[in-house]
Amino acid sequence: VDATWKELTNVLSGIFCASLNFIDSTNTVQPSASFKPLGIANGTDHRFLRYATLPREIVCTENLTPWKKLLPCGSKAGLAVLLKSEKLFHSSFHSQAVHIRPVCQDQQCKTMSLELRQTLNVVFDLHTSGQGKREWSLFKMFSRTLTEACPLAASSKIYIDITDNPQEEQFELSPATPLLSQAVVLGDRRTFSVYDLTQQVTFGTVRSLNVLIRWKSTEGDMLRPLLHAERYVAGYGLQTGEIHTLMYNNHPFRSFPVLLLDSVPWYLRLYIHTLTVTSKGKDNKPSYIHYEPSKDRVRPHLLEMLVQLPPHSVTEITVQFERALLKWTEYTPDPNHGFYVGSSVISALVPSTVAMNTNITEEQPLFSTFFPCKEESSYFVRVYTEPLLVNLPTPDFSMPYNVICLTCTVVAVGYGSLYNLLTRSFQIEEPNPGLAKRIANIIRKMRGVPPL
Amino acid sequence: MAAPLTLLLIVAVTIRAALNRSSLAELIAERVEVVSPITAWKRVIEGLALLDLGVSPYSGDVFHETPLIIYLFHFLVDYAEITFMLADVITAVALYMAVKDYNKQVFRKQKFSLEADRYPADCRELIRTPKEMYYIPLKVAMFYLLNPFTILSCVAKSTCGLNNAVIALFALTTIKGNVLLSAIFLCLATYQSIYPLTLCAPAMLYLMQHQYIPVNFRRASFWWFVAQYLFMYLGSLFVIVCLSFFLLGSWDYLPSVYGFILSVPDLTPNIGLFWYFFAEMFEHFRLFFLCVFQINVFFYTIPLCIKLKDHPVFLIFMQLAVISIFKSYPTVGDTALYLAFLPAWSHLHRFLRNNFLVSCVLLACSALFPVLWHLWIYAGSANSNFYYAITLLFNVAQILLVSDYFYAFLRREHHLTNGLYLKKKDGSEATLVLK
């Protein structure tokens, strides 16, 4: 599996112009419980599973371009014309993903095919880019409007969440659209206004679609997720530290278990006996711990825990680590920037407030069916914490020759003094006669006369 | 002599217990001069925790102790402080009894040589008297127990204390003349860290002289004794290695313990020479210099044996010193062990040349280690070169100390054969040099 993993990472690195070829055994782990294959996979043998993160790499235009090329119409038609990098990366959060899973080709499920799903998540900050006026439009955000749907697309839709706006008191949406859709997203029933790009009527007389939202009032509830997490490094100095992971359960009365996956690089040596899990001030023992310690320069730490989060509480997980001194060639060119620790992954089945439809039908929006739910009362969510930046002690990089010389000098001092004492013996020192006398002695020796 | 020794033991145990109760205990347990990746107590606890989790302690790279230590501390983890204090007490008592016995033999040999008139007439000052030798064993025990290095090592619960105890017991049983126990203790010491292997040679030399077997390559009795000792040593080593295999059910511990000591993958700073050297080493030459440094520890055995074959106890001291200075992960606990022997050679003080310099440098370096560590790691105003420089100085001072004592020992031997006040050919006072 490792050989095919290496092949996969190299191929993906080539396709997406991303430095995925830096994925090797030092940042790959085999999670045992956090990830399961999606789709209609047969087995869940976790020995074939690999998980790797490259926290240092950032997503940029180079990755967006090949991602767009995978779309059937590229960036020439359909929704993808909006994806221009100068506007897209002027945002607070950007995420692109490519998922491949085996699915049934038809209802009877006689043949299997592979489904390629590409997702792009962008969070625009209204205020920093909105020039003060509380309105946004497709033109303002992307400097383009939509003119046609991609001819190869079976469906091409825009969904606007209008759940909080039933009587148009918060914002005004234009152009008006008669289509409505309801879906349960993250355990909540939301109503969406739908713009169907395959219908010519959507584009109206101007033959272009510019969805515009004008905000009227300043109130609005923020959607508060039931599960969110954060992580930080505590401690001072370059010798030791502590990783704190905080998980918030905002459900008022239900508690649910979460599976935490932590992959810490080998140069932060975790001490698992210092692991503490506290909820509401009391000790909360995880019911399942899978820990694989790291091997220096071979593989990272893997910690998977099943923690029960009590309702309306904060659970804090702390573990101490020690920072290693690396060889001078193992540091990045900017060693004082620090080393990144990849995000933890928290997978949970969160109880939902609304009963969910377990049938996957064609009418549901694509974004609501990513993790198919087997039960009606909870939905699956995967939360990623932020990556950490940790400083390691550095040797002086200008000193390899000096260090070799000085250390070898000390060893030679030891060797030299012991050698002298071992091979030489004590003798009475006869003082050296002066130069003239020595020359005279040499001449006398040559003459055969006794020396002075 | 039992009463002063008991008093000394009580004082030492009190100091250690007091420090253990104070808040300094955690601080000391983290100091890199006192604990190393091989001897740290935190890692022992980590190994036990991994065992509880069902993971082999050797599957990761945190735990590098031998399986017998896991087994021992599985039962003793709650009494760890008492265990380490007991180890220190055992070391001190063993050194006390060993040096006492050694003094008796030295005195007896001296008496025979005096009666045989082997010493020149002007060597009266060099002859050792029972009066001066009376307090030496107590001083040895005191040098070990009240040495700040030992106290720090004990409070930090560094397993170096256990290693020192085994080596001290080995010294005791060798000097008493017990071949089997000497082989067993040496095997235990080698099992924990490979370097005491070099103590095989002085042990064999001493035991041969104790049993009046002439140390001559051509004699069959010499080889017969060597074969006996090696059989006992290697046999017990084999037994212990197989026992460790059965304790944990795998050979995982071999690369984790011995491979770790020999290949030095962990570059945590310590008071030795290896860490910064291999942190700044070019990859191409790493194996070469690793071999050079490791051979350097074992390499002095044979020359020292040839030169000091009549003085095996001094040879043990020299070997211990060479191991403590040049081993891959030294700590101050290793230094404390050979420093404890110094009162046994107190009669050499008139021939020591560098004692002021060495003592000043050792004191200054010991004081500067925590300062420069703090400046590098916590304050960020110094860098690793500062700490490295103090490491170099500390090792140079130790080398000077050891070679100084060696010089003084050889010089005293020379005077005992050739007379104390030497004259040149023209009758004026002579100076001795090494040529």
Side-chain angles (χ1 to χ4, degrees):
Chain A
V1 181
D2 291 320
T4 42
W5 174 247
K6 199 168 167 58
E7 236 182 85
L8 175 70
T9 51
N10 277 298
V11 163
L12 285 176
S13 165
I15 291 179
F16 289 107
C17 290
S19 318
L20 295 172
N21 55 335
F22 284 126
I23 292 180
D24 55 7
S25 65
T26 59
N27 41 30
T28 310
V29 290
Q30 289 186 34
S32 65
S34 291
F35 292 88
K36 287 195 160 41
L38 298 170
I40 52 166
N42 279 342
T44 52
D45 191 348
H46 67 93
R47 286 172 305 156
F48 298 137
L49 194 59
R50 296 286 183 276
Y51 174 77
T53 48
L54 285 174
R56 207 185 168 92
E57 303 299 327
I58 44 180
V59 182
C60 59
T61 317
E62 277 178 357
N63 311 125
L64 183 64
T65 316
W67 188 92
K68 281 195 289 187
K69 287 210 184 111
L70 284 179
L71 298 169
C73 290
S75 49
K76 306 269 193 304
L79 286 167
V81 299
L82 294 175
L83 304 177
K84 289 292 167 212
S85 16
E86 30 332 319
K87 282 293 185 177
L88 209 59
F89 287 98
H90 195 62
S91 56
S92 305
F93 176 79
H94 175 100
S95 161
Q96 3 181 126
V98 172
H99 300 272
I100 296 181
R101 62 177 185 173
V103 291
C104 297
Q105 235 173 20
D106 48 11
Q107 281 290 72
Q108 285 85 12
C109 219
K110 286 202 210 86
T111 46
M112 204 183 73
S113 59
L114 286 176
E115 174 196 85
L116 171 72
R117 182 189 284 250
Q118 290 176 259
T119 64
L120 181 67
N121 287 331
V122 184
V123 175
F124 286 98
D125 192 336
L126 178 72
H127 284 279
T128 55
S129 56
Q131 288 110 25
K133 276 188 282 187
R134 295 197 78 209
E135 85 177 23
W136 67 257
S137 65
L138 284 181
F139 187 74
K140 265 216 174 93
M141 288 203 316
F142 300 106
S143 67
R144 302 285 297 263
T145 57
L146 292 165
T147 49
E148 57 165 350
C150 174
L152 296 168
S155 94
S156 187
K157 296 194 173 110
I158 297 183
Y159 293 85
I160 310 276
D161 190 339
I162 55 168
T163 323
D164 299 321
N165 196 34
Q167 269 88 40
E168 296 231 341
E169 68 268 0
Q170 269 198 9
F171 57 83
E172 180 197 318
L173 182 62
S174 74
T177 173
L179 297 167
L180 282 177
S181 159
Q182 286 219 334
V184 179
V185 175
L186 291 182
D188 210 7
R189 191 175 296 280
R190 320 280 316 162
T191 316
F192 298 94
S193 273
V194 184
Y195 292 88
D196 193 348
L197 295 176
T198 49
Q199 316 268 347
Q200 204 46 34
V201 68
T202 320
F203 296 103
T205 44
V206 294
R207 291 200 212 275
S208 87
L209 175 66
N210 183 19
V211 180
L212 180 75
I213 289 186
R214 200 173 290 116
W215 289 78
K216 290 193 205 152
S217 67
T218 47
E219 302 107 47
D221 291 328
M222 204 168 64
L223 283 172
R224 196 152 268 282
L226 286 178
L227 171 69
H228 63 102
E230 52 190 37
R231 197 162 71 140
Y232 59 90
V233 172
Y236 63 96
L238 294 176
Q239 191 179 3
T240 53
E242 225 173 56
I243 297 182
H244 290 243
T245 310
L246 294 160
M247 296 194 287
Y248 296 86
N249 177 4
N250 289 321
H251 202 287
F253 50 86
R254 292 279 296 274
S255 78
F256 53 88
V258 299
L259 200 63
L260 172 70
L261 169 79
D262 238 328
S263 164
V264 179
W266 64 266
Y267 38 81
L268 300 181
R269 302 204 168 97
L270 290 184
Y271 285 99
I272 207 70
H273 69 273
T274 57
L275 178 71
T276 58
V277 183
T278 45
S279 305
K280 289 186 179 169
K282 282 190 304 213
D283 219 16
N284 180 1
K285 215 165 136 40
S287 47
Y288 167 76
I289 298 184
H290 171 72
Y291 178 62
E292 224 174 78
S294 70
K295 260 203 144 8
D296 271 9
R297 302 179 179 92
V298 170
R299 59 166 200 252
H301 297 275
L302 172 69
L303 176 63
E304 276 186 285
M305 291 195 300
L306 186 69
V307 184
Q308 187 83 7
L309 299 184
H312 208 69
S313 68
V314 181
T315 305
E316 180 164 0
I317 299 170
T318 62
V319 63
Q320 284 179 12
F321 64 86
E322 190 185 79
R323 302 172 207 227
L325 186 73
L326 307 177
K327 298 183 197 160
W328 71 304
T329 47
E330 289 174 345
Y331 287 88
T332 53
D334 49 349
N336 289 307
H337 178 73
F339 285 78
Y340 283 96
V341 179
S343 347
S344 332
V345 183
I346 299 171
S347 324
L349 273 175
V350 183
S352 76
T353 48
V354 174
M356 295 191 293
N357 190 0
T358 51
N359 296 327
I360 304 173
T361 56
E362 292 294 317
E363 284 93 51
Q364 286 203 335
L366 284 173
F367 53 80
S368 69
T369 61
F370 191 53
F371 291 113
C373 36
K374 301 251 174 33
E375 26 184 307
E376 286 182 359
S377 57
S378 51
Y379 61 93
F380 181 78
V381 76
R382 189 166 278 143
V383 179
Y384 292 84
T385 62
E386 53 269 80
L388 301 171
L389 188 60
V390 176
N391 263 326
L392 290 182
T394 60
D396 190 348
F397 298 99
S398 58
M399 291 270 288
Y401 180 69
N402 303 352
V403 166
I404 296 176
C405 283
L406 286 170
T407 310
C408 291
T409 306
V410 171
V411 175
V413 161
Y415 175 80
S417 34
L418 284 179
Y419 174 83
N420 269 340
L421 290 165
L422 287 168
T423 49
R424 297 178 189 210
S425 57
F426 287 99
Q427 288 171 15
I428 297 180
E429 182 188 18
E430 296 293 334
N432 257 335
L435 186 60
K437 256 199 180 164
R438 265 189 282 164
I439 297 176
N441 274 336
I442 293 171
I443 301 173
R444 279 186 168 219
K445 203 161 48 171
M446 286 196 301
R447 279 170 53 195
V449 172
L452 288 170
Chain B
M1 283 289 277
L5 181 65
T6 327
L7 184 65
L8 176 66
L9 290 177
I10 293 175
V11 167
V13 169
T14 314
I15 297 179
R16 284 161 172 76
L19 273 176
N20 262 322
R21 291 280 162 270
S22 73
S23 62
L24 288 175
E26 286 123 32
L27 210 72
I28 294 174
E30 272 186 1
R31 297 241 37 106
V32 286
E33 297 92 16
V34 184
V35 297
S36 71
I38 307 184
T39 60
W41 177 247
K42 201 170 178 190
R43 293 184 182 234
V44 174
I45 301 278
E46 178 71 9
L48 291 173
L50 282 175
L51 207 59
D52 283 337
L53 270 180
V55 179
S56 160
Y58 301 110
S59 58
D61 243 339
V62 164
F63 185 71
H64 299 287
E65 300 275 1
T66 55
L68 277 186
I69 297 270
I70 301 184
Y71 194 65
L72 179 74
F73 282 112
H74 194 62
F75 301 112
L76 290 178
V77 69
D78 298 321
Y79 308 111
E81 295 168 9
I82 300 181
T83 313
F84 285 102
M85 283 198 262
L86 196 65
D88 269 0
V89 161
I90 290 178
T91 315
V93 169
L95 287 177
Y96 174 87
M97 291 173 22
V99 174
K100 201 152 123 173
D101 226 14
Y102 172 62
N103 278 348
K104 281 200 200 118
Q105 288 172 11
V106 159
F107 191 64
R108 200 173 57 210
K109 217 159 128 181
Q110 195 178 253
K111 202 163 78 151
F112 288 150
S113 307
L114 270 177
E115 283 167 11
D117 226 1
R118 266 193 238 139
Y119 295 143
D122 53 359
C123 283
R124 197 108 339 220
E125 304 162 15
L126 293 180
I127 309 291
R128 304 177 69 182
T129 59
K131 193 162 147 224
E132 131 210 11
M133 299 208 314
Y134 184 65
Y135 280 110
I136 287 182
L138 187 64
K139 279 195 216 164
V140 166
M142 192 163 66
F143 258 56
Y144 185 75
L145 282 176
L146 298 181
N147 192 347
F149 291 159
T150 328
I151 298 180
L152 286 176
S153 212
C154 179
V155 172
K157 298 200 269 270
S158 158
T159 55
C160 185
L162 298 176
N163 208 14
N164 286 357
V166 174
I167 295 181
L169 284 170
F170 153 75
L172 173 66
T173 51
T174 310
I175 292 181
K176 288 268 191 217
N178 192 332
V179 181
L180 179 65
L181 280 181
S182 157
I184 291 179
F185 280 121
L186 186 62
C187 144
L188 276 176
T190 314
Y191 167 73
Q192 206 177 348
S193 76
I194 309 178
Y195 299 107
L197 177 66
T198 57
L199 291 172
C200 233
M204 281 198 274
L205 280 174
Y206 184 89
L207 290 165
M208 276 197 268
Q209 288 169 9
H210 191 80
Q211 296 183 355
Y212 303 112
I213 301 173
V215 181
N216 194 339
F217 289 127
R218 286 179 269 271
R219 303 286 279 263
S221 50
F222 171 80
W223 292 112
W224 175 238
F225 183 81
V226 167
Q228 267 184 318
Y229 191 81
L230 282 180
F231 173 74
M232 280 190 267
Y233 175 65
L234 291 172
S236 27
L237 197 60
F238 179 72
V239 165
I240 288 191
V241 164
C242 288
L243 192 66
S244 314
F245 170 71
F246 287 118
L247 264 176
L248 282 178
S250 72
W251 293 111
D252 273 352
Y253 75 97
L254 286 177
S256 243
V257 181
Y258 304 119
F260 182 79
I261 296 178
L262 289 176
S263 69
V264 192
D266 188 337
L267 297 170
T268 315
N270 48 55
I271 59 174
L273 298 163
F274 276 64
W275 63 280
Y276 206 54
F277 190 76
F278 288 103
E280 300 269 11
M281 171 53 60
F282 300 104
E283 275 305 306
H284 187 68
F285 296 109
R286 201 188 136 84
L287 186 61
F288 168 68
F289 277 104
L290 194 62
C291 294
V292 165
F293 271 59
Q294 295 289 3
I295 289 175
N296 188 41
V297 184
F298 294 99
F299 161 77
Y300 294 108
T301 312
I302 305 223
L304 278 174
C305 280
I306 296 174
K307 186 84 178 182
L308 289 174
K309 64 173 179 285
D310 297 320
H311 313 282
V313 179
F314 191 76
L315 180 57
I316 291 182
F317 165 73
M318 289 291 299
Q319 286 289 15
L320 279 177
V322 163
I323 293 173
S324 304
I325 300 173
F326 293 116
K327 71 191 282 196
S328 46
Y329 292 101
T331 59
V332 292
D334 302 305
T335 315
L337 183 62
Y338 78 82
L339 284 179
F341 277 96
L342 292 184
W345 328 116
S346 52
H347 57 281
L348 298 172
H349 75 272
R350 60 184 294 166
F351 299 117
L352 291 174
R353 295 176 298 177
N354 298 327
N355 41 358
F356 178 67
L357 176 71
V358 166
S359 45
C360 282
V361 173
L362 282 177
L363 275 173
C365 286
S366 313
L368 279 175
F369 270 124
V371 172
L372 291 171
W373 177 257
H374 179 89
L375 280 182
W376 173 27
I377 297 286
Y378 294 103
S381 51
N383 65 7
S384 49
N385 292 335
F386 292 69
Y387 193 77
Y388 167 65
I390 298 299
T391 302
L392 284 181
L393 259 185
F394 189 71
N395 284 309
V396 164
Q398 282 185 300
I399 292 174
L400 268 182
L401 174 74
V402 169
S403 57
D404 209 18
Y405 267 90
F406 194 24
Y407 169 84
F409 192 85
L410 289 177
R411 185 153 166 189
R412 180 174 174 267
E413 294 302 312
H414 183 262
H415 282 307
L416 281 179
T417 41
N418 298 3
L420 186 53
Y421 297 105
L422 301 162
K423 305 244 184 296
K424 285 197 282 221
K425 289 204 193 102
D426 51 6
S428 59
E429 206 171 311
T431 48
L432 268 189
V433 291
L434 282 170
K435 274 227 197 341

